[in-house]
């Protein structure tokens, strides 16, 4: 009977180990393609990735924009001079606009301590259908539950820095992520796991620890 209990404990331990490991394999940072329209200097675009500062001044450079909607870029967090206080209207403090900004135009966003996540917000004017707000980072930040921006830290194009591209259509539409694209200096890619995925990992690791204690 004791041997059977030990066998079951070993099997439980093995299962929970596999659960925790497989959960890590499915973090959002592994999302990396969809139908992203190719661009010069493309490296490894990652959907749903976050932007983490490495310390110092962060300078944004406009690359390109397209689409029917007018897209206005803001900094959602940390709150500052480029934060839109009213997500239902166009503020005058936007960084870039997909139709008005010129390729190569630069804007200093200020100095940030290393390790700060900058969350960027695109306000899309649909011209009659209201405004849509999309954010960098995980899908949970967006009203339709989808990732609306990619981050490419391996970008080698003429503007340098880390490339970001947004898709402005609810439900992603053609998922080209070319509606507004820009680069930033002194940032790197970080991943923010979805709450459900974090819970799954936590359950697996907690069960793993319990099984080990029981086996001892």
């Amino acid at each position: 009977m004791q041997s059977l209990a030990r066998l079951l404990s070993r099997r439980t331990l093995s299962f929970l180990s596999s659960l925790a490991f497989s959960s890590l394999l499915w973090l959002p940072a592994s999302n990396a393609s969809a139908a992203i329209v190719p661009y010069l200097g493309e490296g490894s675009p990652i959907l749903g990735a976050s932007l983490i500062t490495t310390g110092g001044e962060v300078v944004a450079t406009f690359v390109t924009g397209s689409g029917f909607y007018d897209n206005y870029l803001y900094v959602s967090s940390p709150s500052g001079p480029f934060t839109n206080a009213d997500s239902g209207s166009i503020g005058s403090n936007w960084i870039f606009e997909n139709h008005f900004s010129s390729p190569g135009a630069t804007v200093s966003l200020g100095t940030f301590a290393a390790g700060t996540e900058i969350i960027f917000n695109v306000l899309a004017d649909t011209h009659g259908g209201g405004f849509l707000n999309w954010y960098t980072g995980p899908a949970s930040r967006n009203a339709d539950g989808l990732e609306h921006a990619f981050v490419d830290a391996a970008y080698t194009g003429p503007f340098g820095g880390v490339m970001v591209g947004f898709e402005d259509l609810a439900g992603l539409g053609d998922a080209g992520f070319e509606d507004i694209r820009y680069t930033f200096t002194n940032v790197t890619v970080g991943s923010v796991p979805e709450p459900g995925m974090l819970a799954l990992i936590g359950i697996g690791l907690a069960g793993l620890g319990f099984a080990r204690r029981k086996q001892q």
Side-chain angles (χ1 to χ4, degrees):
M1 194 71 180
Q2 189 174 7
S3 297
L4 178 60
R6 287 178 179 174
L7 177 61
L8 290 174
S9 295
R10 284 197 296 271
R11 288 180 175 176
T12 301
L13 185 63
S14 177
F15 170 74
L16 291 173
S17 298
S18 299
L19 176 63
F21 179 72
S22 61
S23 298
L24 290 172
L25 292 178
W26 287 97
L27 292 178
S30 63
N31 265 346
S33 50
I36 295 174
V37 173
Y39 50 92
L40 183 64
E42 181 175 340
S44 301
I46 301 174
L47 298 180
S50 56
L51 287 154
I52 308 298
T53 60
T54 56
E57 182 184 19
V58 175
V59 177
T61 301
F62 181 76
V63 177
T64 187
S66 64
F68 174 72
Y69 297 165
D70 287 325
N71 295 323
Y72 299 86
L73 177 67
Y74 300 93
V75 172
S76 175
S77 176
S79 181
F82 297 104
T83 300
N84 186 12
D86 182 3
S87 61
S89 65
I90 302 167
S92 61
N93 57 332
W94 44 268
I95 304 166
F96 298 129
E97 198 275 351
N98 61 328
H99 296 131
F100 303 150
S101 298
S102 300
T106 61
V107 175
S108 173
L109 304 184
T111 301
F112 298 83
T116 302
E117 181 187 4
I118 301 181
I119 301 175
F120 293 96
N121 162 218
V122 160
L123 176 70
D125 181 358
T126 65
H127 303 291
F131 295 96
L132 301 173
N133 281 277
W134 310 121
Y135 301 86
T136 53
S140 56
R141 291 175 179 165
N142 297 310
D144 61 359
L146 299 170
E147 296 152 330
H148 275 262
F150 73 75
V151 179
D152 186 355
Y155 168 73
T156 58
F159 299 101
V162 173
M163 167 76 80
V164 178
F166 267 93
E167 174 56 57
D168 64 4
L169 294 175
L172 295 184
D174 61 1
F177 294 86
E178 81 280 34
D179 296 306
I180 184 168
R181 288 176 175 174
Y182 44 89
T183 64
F184 297 93
T185 61
N186 292 324
V187 293
T188 188
V189 177
S191 180
V192 182
E194 293 292 333
M197 187 61 67
L198 286 174
L200 181 60
I201 294 172
I203 291 171
L205 293 178
L208 185 60
F210 174 77
R212 281 179 174 166
R213 286 195 299 273
K214 187 174 181 180
Q215 192 175 36
Q216 292 171 355

